[in-house]
Amino acid sequence: MTRRYCSLPRQSDPAFAPGLAAERLGALIGGRRMWVNGTVLHYCFLDAETDASVIPVPGTAETRRVPWAGTGEQRDVVRESFREWQDLGIGVRFAEVRDRGEAELRIGFQEGGGSWSAVGRDALAVGAGERTMNLGWDLTEPGGRWTALHSVGHALGMRHEHQSPFAGVHWDDEAVYTALAGPPHHWSRDRTDRAILRKLDPAEANGAVWDPHSVMQFPFGPGLILEPEQYHNGLYPPGSLSPADKEFVLRWYPPAEAPAALVPFRSAPLGLGPGGQADFAVEPPETREYSVGTFGACDSVVVVFEERDGEPRYLAGHDDGGTARNALIGVRLVKGRRYVVRVRLHSTWGSGETAVMCW
């Protein structure tokens, strides 16, 4: 069976404030891509006439148009994969929508475009008309189900297991470069470094112990792994969710006591710089106590105003222009009334991907 791997999109490393304690820095690194537990992640399939890539035809000066739409059978494999993760009882839920403007996860099936996915909340930084996931192989063929399960794992915030610093894998680097430079991947050395050879920060790993049976572990043929010696002739995970995979997602997304879902009032990525500010109009769908906070911001302030007679009147939160301290507040919102949520970003980390959520 041809081994087909996924390639994660390149993401810039965040800038953290100097002087952070190692424990806090590790928590920020490990959790920056994870969703708030209780989130409903909406996904859609991109199939409009304009959903396509124009790519060069190798060896010619011509280009060709490749649509992103997938077949009904391939979509069903993806739906089944979302259900398999959700059926573990995790606190995050998935909902298919038609309107791409409502979808945090937007899925394409560009043939020849490889398979890849944004990792966790990195999806919020992707343009609203763009894919956050592409499944470039036929999912109805052998190994297709693994590709879909693996990609949903990325969407939940999981990283590649073979890049775990706890794995102790010693690669034959040149053999790996050669294997990935050929079909079906045609990867550059840089892409192979990013997807295979580079070790993750320990805080980014899926667990403190390497799991060669993880669905996030690539299969590898003979001669690519020098150590551990038992994998010199190849490493072939089963392609299903392992006990450690289940432990990881249940640790980050424990089952909610009540099925109350997040009610998102979220803008497009803000692109705020330090000191930048944005306002959001909020019309709650029901009367109850809400928690109001931000995604993607390390140091931010949230203030809520109630709109009365067309004017915002202070309701909750506080911004004195100094140190951020109100990134999460509790407030009672009443259905039928209009509110304004104001967010101010204080640090550079989170710039470009900040979003407001009420739940």
Side-chain angles (χ1 to χ4, degrees):
M1 181 180 71
T2 301
R3 297 175 186 85
R4 296 185 170 96
Y5 304 152
C6 86
S7 172
L8 298 180
R10 181 186 292 276
Q11 290 287 335
S12 58
D13 293 329
F16 296 102
L20 290 176
E23 183 176 340
R24 185 182 179 200
L25 184 60
L28 290 173
I29 292 173
R32 68 191 179 97
R33 290 187 169 97
M34 308 306 292
W35 303 96
V36 172
N37 194 38
T39 301
V40 174
L41 290 176
H42 305 88
Y43 69 91
C44 72
F45 299 106
L46 299 180
D47 58 1
E49 287 292 328
T50 54
D51 293 329
S53 296
V54 177
I55 63 174
V57 177
T60 74
E62 299 178 351
T63 60
R64 66 186 182 100
R65 185 177 180 277
V66 183
W68 296 348
T71 65
E73 291 80 4
Q74 294 200 82
R75 295 184 186 204
D76 285 342
V77 175
V78 177
R79 293 182 181 108
E80 290 165 6
S81 297
F82 278 119
R83 280 196 294 270
E84 185 164 346
W85 280 104
Q86 186 171 307
D87 286 349
L88 296 177
I90 61 177
V92 168
R93 294 191 289 134
F94 301 104
E96 183 177 348
V97 295
R98 287 288 303 167
D99 184 351
R100 69 187 63 200
E102 298 178 7
E104 293 82 16
L105 310 179
R106 298 176 295 278
I107 303 166
F109 298 85
Q110 181 196 331
E111 182 182 351
S115 291
W116 46 264
S117 173
V119 179
R121 289 194 292 115
D122 284 349
L124 296 178
V126 179
E130 297 297 321
R131 294 162 292 174
T132 67
M133 182 187 299
N134 189 74
L135 300 164
W137 325 117
D138 186 347
L139 301 186
T140 64
E141 294 182 352
R145 180 173 172 276
W146 169 83
T147 297
L149 284 171
H150 180 99
S151 296
V152 176
H154 281 316
L156 286 167
M158 299 184 75
R159 306 301 296 270
H160 285 151
E161 189 67 19
H162 51 273
Q163 294 183 268
S164 168
F166 309 112
V169 174
H170 179 199
W171 301 96
D172 184 332
D173 291 4
E174 290 304 321
V176 175
Y177 288 135
T178 300
L180 273 295
H185 298 94
H186 304 288
W187 282 0
S188 65
R189 293 172 73 94
D190 177 67
R191 178 169 288 190
T192 299
D193 282 331
R194 285 190 286 115
I196 306 288
L197 301 179
R198 183 181 73 85
K199 297 297 184 186
L200 298 172
D201 184 287
E204 294 180 290
N206 299 332
V209 177
W210 178 43
D211 176 22
H213 303 293
S214 171
V215 77
M216 306 310 292
Q217 169 68 52
F218 285 176
F220 293 104
L224 302 183
I225 297 175
L226 300 177
E227 294 177 333
E229 188 175 352
Q230 70 203 75
Y231 298 116
H232 184 69
N233 291 324
L235 191 165
Y236 305 101
S240 56
L241 304 185
S242 72
D245 294 332
K246 300 172 186 178
E247 179 183 347
F248 174 87
V249 292
L250 287 169
R251 183 172 72 248
W252 278 102
Y253 307 120
E257 292 184 4
L262 281 171
V263 181
F265 305 115
R266 183 176 64 81
S267 78
L270 300 181
L272 294 178
Q277 179 175 294
D279 291 353
F280 300 79
V282 169
E283 296 179 354
E286 60 181 274
T287 298
R288 61 183 176 89
E289 297 288 333
Y290 288 85
S291 294
V292 184
T294 57
F295 275 148
C298 178
D299 291 300
S300 61
V301 167
V302 172
V303 184
V304 180
F305 301 86
E306 182 177 359
E307 192 173 280
R308 290 289 183 91
D309 301 323
E311 296 293 329
R313 297 184 182 182
Y314 171 80
L315 184 64
H318 182 65
D319 183 7
D320 58 10
T323 302
R325 56 180 178 176
N326 288 302
L328 182 68
I329 60 174
V331 59
R332 181 175 177 80
L333 302 182
V334 178
K335 181 179 179 179
R337 295 183 186 173
R338 184 180 173 90
Y339 300 86
V340 173
V341 178
R342 180 166 298 164
V343 58
R344 181 193 297 274
L345 185 68
H346 279 247
S347 77
T348 55
W349 185 60
S351 177
E353 60 179 71
T354 308
V356 169
M357 298 290 286
C358 304
W359 67 95

